[in-house]
Amino acid sequence: MQILESAPQTTLTGKIGNFRWRIVALLFFATTINYIDRNVLSFVMADDGFRREMLGLAANTPLTDADHSAFLAEYGRVDAVFKFAYGLGFILMGWFIDKIGVRKGYAVAIFLWVGSALSHSFATTFGRLRLFRFTLGIGEAGNFPSAIKTVAEWFPIKERSKAVGIFNSGANIGIIFTAALVPVIITSYGWQATFLVTSSLGFVLLICWLLVYRRPEEHPKLGKAELAYIKSDGEDETGTVKINWFKLLSYRQTWAFALGKFLTDMVWWFYLSFLPDFFKQAGTFQLDLKQLSLPFIVIYIVSDAGSILFGWLSSKLISMGWTQNAARKLTMLICALCVLPVFFASITESLPVAVALIAVAAAAHQGWSANLFSTATDMFPKKVVSSVIGIGGYLEPLAVPYSPTMLEPSPAPMDIYPYSSLPPRLTCWHWPLFNF
């Protein structure tokens, strides 16, 4: 069943304009802030002072192996709370954004996650930390439903994966920024200051979003030629296609997107949560907090390139006459194959080799993600895109390859790395569910 109903595409000539790419720049900034705020804790958790604070130990108390194991077990529970809230937030925020519009919905999401990120500086117990991570997860879940809906509103189909690839690369810039800045702030001013400094950027984002964003039809700075180009796919926006939230669950296209998220997002979550500890605790590496920055910068710069490259690739194929179906699937197949060698990151004794393997896998995942998100805009009307993204995002926490119970007997997250190459091998079987 084809859900998206389109009229014949319009051929345009002459100068179109490029204001729509300014909207992508705003989404890039938002995604960067989103990933800064969620990822600060992954670096703070490697600080011994933070570990002592959370465990209720005196400032100069030496940390034993038992202390580290206890901390990692509790941190696993904190991380599980965030993931549960993040998944729940996808469902709630996806529906909410489709209901009230992306401008207001995104603003609410930004305000909630930025306020929660700021509150982390006052977390002195695991109980408080779990509470703040829960509210952070609800708010941060609004980023991708809002951003993908914005791309659907502002771009024709042939440019959407390229636009998604660009703004999605903001996730990596956020992590690079975090890797470069957080260790310096921690060593100079303490872990509490990191949350105060990084969350302040979110309030700048909120102001920019409210000042800049409007729907294309309502934006005073968008020219008529560019508006016509944005609308050139001829998608029916008159209201003749009506799909309520529960009806979305009956479409196989919804489950195709959701299964794609389920089978692959576990890898990305693992990278975000435990890469710092992987490089710090692995027997042959054992990098200190200051040495963590360079491997992370390399990994996420390469990830940026992958997000943009693979987003561009499927858009290029479509512009060359390929169908959306063939262009997206070929690009995603290439991405899935590029992830497989990461299996060897857990057994190599070479730091450059480990960094290279993880960097290629992360780049491929980001390219996969850019195209997977674009399939939702290919298959569904703009008015329900956020809800579809929300349904897919809800499955993310169910797919994580670790849990507090896994970490308790084995505090070394590198033991799980061999499994991070498994999900991409499972992605191709569900492709017949796609129909666009």
Side-chain angles (χ1 to χ4, degrees), residues 345-387:
S346 64
I347 59 177
T348 181
E349 296 183 356
S350 169
L351 178 61
V353 171
V355 170
L357 289 169
I358 296 170
V360 171
H365 180 277
Q366 288 298 80
W368 167 280
S369 182
N371 282 275
L372 183 62
F373 278 130
S374 299
T375 63
T377 69
D378 294 337
M379 297 184 292
F380 291 91
K382 299 172 185 178
K383 65 187 72 177
V384 296
V385 163
S386 289
S387 295

Side-chain angles (χ1 to χ4, degrees), residues 193-246:
T194 61
F195 295 108
L196 294 174
V197 172
T198 55
S199 62
S200 64
L201 298 173
F203 292 104
V204 176
L205 166 64
L206 180 59
I207 293 171
C208 290
W209 175 257
L210 291 173
L211 289 177
V212 173
Y213 188 79
R214 300 289 187 280
R215 284 174 54 84
E217 301 87 346
E218 302 168 353
H219 210 293
K221 295 185 178 181
L222 183 66
K224 293 182 179 179
E226 188 170 7
L227 177 60
Y229 177 71
I230 291 169
K231 301 293 185 182
S232 61
D233 292 320
E235 180 181 334
D236 179 12
E237 298 182 67
T238 63
T240 58
V241 178
K242 295 185 181 297
I243 308 173
N244 64 42
W245 190 91
F246 289 101

Side-chain angles (χ1 to χ4, degrees), residues 14-28:
K15 187 176 181 180
I16 296 173
N18 58 10
F19 187 83
R20 65 195 182 281
W21 295 107
R22 300 185 190 182
I23 300 299
V24 170
L26 183 58
L27 296 177
F28 174 88

Side-chain angles (χ1 to χ4, degrees), residues 27-42:
L27 296 177
F28 174 88
F29 179 47
T31 303
T32 299
I33 300 303
N34 185 273
Y35 269 75
I36 289 174
D37 286 337
R38 82 171 60 178
N39 205 52
V40 168
L41 184 61
S42 294

Side-chain angles (χ1 to χ4, degrees), residues 391-409:
I391 293 169
Y394 175 73
L395 296 183
E396 289 185 27
L398 304 181
V400 291
Y402 56 89
S403 69
T405 56
M406 291 178 66
L407 288 178
E408 284 173 358

Side-chain angles (χ1 to χ4, degrees), residues 42-297:
S42 294
F43 285 86
V44 171
M45 63 89 76
D47 177 58
D48 287 344
F50 177 74
R51 294 191 176 201
R52 292 188 188 97
E53 182 80 33
M54 291 295 104
L55 292 171
L57 302 176
N60 296 322
T61 303
L63 290 172
T64 65
D65 289 342
D67 291 330
H68 287 299
S69 296
F71 175 86
L72 285 176
E74 287 293 340
Y75 180 77
R77 295 184 180 95
V78 169
D79 201 52
V81 167
F82 174 79
K83 288 178 173 60
F84 172 78
Y86 192 67
L88 178 62
F90 259 102
I91 289 285
L92 298 177
M93 285 294 178
W95 171 84
F96 181 68
I97 291 161
D98 278 336
K99 186 71 173 179
I100 72 169
V102 70
R103 184 173 183 269
K104 293 179 181 178
Y106 207 178
V108 170
I110 294 170
F111 181 80
L112 180 58
W113 100 53
V114 171
S116 299
L118 178 65
S119 299
H120 280 54
S121 60
F122 305 105
T124 56
T125 66
F126 280 111
R128 289 184 183 180
L129 189 59
R130 284 192 291 269
L131 173 62
F132 298 148
R133 294 304 283 182
F134 182 87
T135 55
L136 179 73
I138 295 291
E140 288 220 336
N143 183 71
F144 283 99
S146 297
I148 301 300
K149 187 179 182 72
T150 299
V151 168
E153 291 182 350
W154 275 85
F155 285 86
I157 287 174
K158 64 183 178 182
E159 289 187 339
R160 287 177 186 172
S161 66
K162 181 179 177 181
V164 173
I166 292 173
F167 91 70
N168 192 45
S169 68
N172 309 310
I173 294 298
I175 298 169
I176 292 170
F177 183 89
T178 307
L181 182 64
V182 168
V184 176
I185 298 177
I186 292 175
T187 55
S188 300
Y189 304 104
W191 64 267
Q192 292 93 339
T194 61
F195 295 108
L196 294 174
V197 172
T198 55
S199 62
S200 64
L201 298 173
F203 292 104
V204 176
L205 166 64
L206 180 59
I207 293 171
C208 290
W209 175 257
L210 291 173
L211 289 177
V212 173
Y213 188 79
R214 300 289 187 280
R215 284 174 54 84
E217 301 87 346
E218 302 168 353
H219 210 293
K221 295 185 178 181
L222 183 66
K224 293 182 179 179
E226 188 170 7
L227 177 60
Y229 177 71
I230 291 169
K231 301 293 185 182
S232 61
D233 292 320
E235 180 181 334
D236 179 12
E237 298 182 67
T238 63
T240 58
V241 178
K242 295 185 181 297
I243 308 173
N244 64 42
W245 190 91
F246 289 101
K247 182 66 174 177
L248 290 173
L249 299 177
S250 68
Y251 293 116
R252 68 177 186 177
Q253 292 91 340
T254 302
W255 293 106
F257 171 77
L259 285 172
K261 296 284 288 177
F262 178 85
L263 291 171
T264 56
D265 279 353
M266 63 178 73
V267 178
W268 191 245
W269 279 109
F270 180 75
Y271 293 164
L272 290 181
S273 298
F274 286 105
L275 265 183
D277 213 52
F278 171 73
F279 286 116
K280 183 179 180 182
Q281 302 293 341
T284 56
F285 304 145
Q286 295 187 342
L287 305 182
D288 63 30
L289 194 59
K290 293 181 180 178
Q291 294 173 315
L292 286 175
S293 296
L294 183 58
F296 267 77
I297 290 172

